[in-house]
Amino acid sequence: MNEVIGRCVGETSPTQVSFISKEMPRVGEYVSLEYDGKKVLGMIEALVRGSVSINGDIYDPKTIERIKEIEGDDHYIKGSVKILGDINDLKIPRTPAPPGTAVEVADPQVLKKIFHVENSGLKLGNLITQEEVEVEVDINKMVTRHLAVLAMTGAGKSNTVSVIVDGLLGVNGSVLIFDMHSEYVNTEFGKDKVNLIKPQINPLYLSFAELKKLSNIPSNAYVQERYFRKAYRGAQKTLAKGLTTGNDFLALIENQLESWILEAEADSSEGKSGNSTNAADRKSITDVLNKLQHMRDKYGNILSLEARDVTDNMELGKANIIDLGSVDEFASDVIVSHVLRNVLKSRKEYLRTRNGIAFPIFSILEEAHILAPQNRSTESKLWISRIAREGRKFGVGLCLVSQSPKSLDSDALSQANNMIILRLVEPTDQNHVQRASESLSDDLIAQLPSLNIGEAIVLGLMTKIPTLVKVDEFQGKVSGGDLNIVEEWSKSIEDDKKTLEEQKREYEDLGGDY
C-alpha cells in the first residue's frame, strides 16, 4: 500500500474530489484512490492551508499570537484532485469516490507505464513531482496533430525545441526549421544531421501572388495588378514554349512591361485615340517596372535565378534549417508561405503519383506570432492554417513556437492539439492560450507563473494525461541563449587592450616613439 496523504471530504463527483491532509503534498503530484472495486488516478490541482482555531473572523494579531502559543502550529491542508481515469485504461469512472476514501501517492511503477510510449516515444523529460519517472510523448500524434511550444523569453523555449528536434532525428525524422533569429544554425544535433538551406527562391517558382507581394504592389492598385498579371502570364507562356530559359523569367516580365511603355509613347506621339488612357496606363506600367527593379535591389539576396525548388533541397533524417536571420519580416513571410505551400503540394503529389517529397515533414516555425499574427493578414498565416487543417492526411506537421501567445492567431493555435507551455506570467497570454485549449484548466493556468526555467505543462493527444515536466537539458551546443553581458564587456576591454598593445609594438618596430 502506498503512502496515504489524505481523505476525501464533502461532496465528490466522477471528475473531481476534495481532500483533507495533515501533510503538505505538491500541486501537480499524482495520487490514486481505490473504491467500488477499481483504482483511479488523479492529479492534485490546488492546495490551501488553514487552521480551525485561527480563522478569518479574528482581527487582532495579538489574539492570533496567543492562540498559536496554546495550539502550536496546528493546521490542515485542503486540496482538490482532478480525476484522470481508471489506472488500467484511463477512462473516467461513472461513480464518484465515497467521502472518507484514502488519497494515496501514486505508484511510480504505474506512472512509468503510463508515460512510456511503445515504439514511437520521444523522451521529453521527467516528472517535476516524481523525478524517477521519465515522460515520453507520442511522436506520431505530435507530428500529425501539431504542436505549440509557448513561453516567455528565457523560460527554456529554445532548449525544449532542441530536445524535440534531437529526439526526432534519433528516429530518422525529417524536420524543417524556419530559423527567424539564426538560433539553430550552429546548434549541434549530431554529425551530418544538419542541412542548412539558404533563404533563396528562384523567381521562376514564385506564384503570382507571392511575386506581387514581394514587389509591394498594393491590393487596391488594380491597373498595376492587371498589367503585372498579364506580363507574368506572358512570361510563363514563353517559357512553356521553350523559347528561352528560366534564368530570363524576371527579365521577360520587365521586357514585356517596357514594350508596353514604348507602345503607349508611340501611340501618344502619333495622336491616336485614347491618348489619355495610354498616359494613365503608361504611368501604371512604369510604376510596376520601378517596383520590380526596386524588388531586385532590396531582395537580391533572396532572389536567385540559380536556386532550385526548395523541396529539392530537403533531406531525410536531418534538421533542414532555413536561416532567416538576415531577412526582414516582409521577405520572411514570402519565403515561409512559399516553402509551406510547396511542401504541402509536394507531399500531396507524392501520395498521388509518387513524385515529390517521399517522407513526412515536421515544420517548426519560430516567432510564429510574427508569421501568423492575431489581427493582421499574412501569406504565411494562410498556409499555416491550411496545413493545420489538412497536413495530418499528407504527413506535414506544424510546431508553432512563440514567446507572445496573445499575438498568435487564435485559429492557428487552436489547431495545435498538443501544447508544451513553459513559464507564462502575463494574464493576457495565459487567457489566450486557455481559450485555445480545452485541456488547460484554471488550476493548471495558475501554475504557469511559478514554473522554473525548463519546467512545463505538457498536454494534448501526444500524452495520455496532462503533466508537469522538467524538460531535459539539450546536450548539444545551442547558440540561442542569453548573452552574459558582464562577460561580454570584460571580453571587449581585453580585446581593446590587446589591439593597443599590437599597435604599439608595430609602431615601435617602425622606429617610432609610442
Side-chain angles (χ1 to χ4, degrees), residues 107 127 235 261-262 269 278 281 284 311 354 369 387 406 446 451-452 465:
D107 186 345
L127 290 181
I261 292 173
L262 292 175
S269 63
N278 286 332
D281 286 1
S284 294
T311 57
R354 286 297 185 260
H369 57 278
I387 289 177
K406 67 177 181 292
L451 293 175
N452 296 315
I465 53 177

Side-chain angles (χ1 to χ4, degrees), residues 31 52 68 86 104 120 154 166 193 211 214 240 245 255 314 389 409 425 427 509:
V31 296
V52 175
K68 281 199 67 176
D86 189 288
E104 304 175 359
S120 61
D166 196 47
K193 286 291 185 179
L211 198 56
L214 206 57
T245 66
N255 290 341
M314 309 267 264
R389 294 191 305 270
D409 180 59
V425 174
D509 289 343

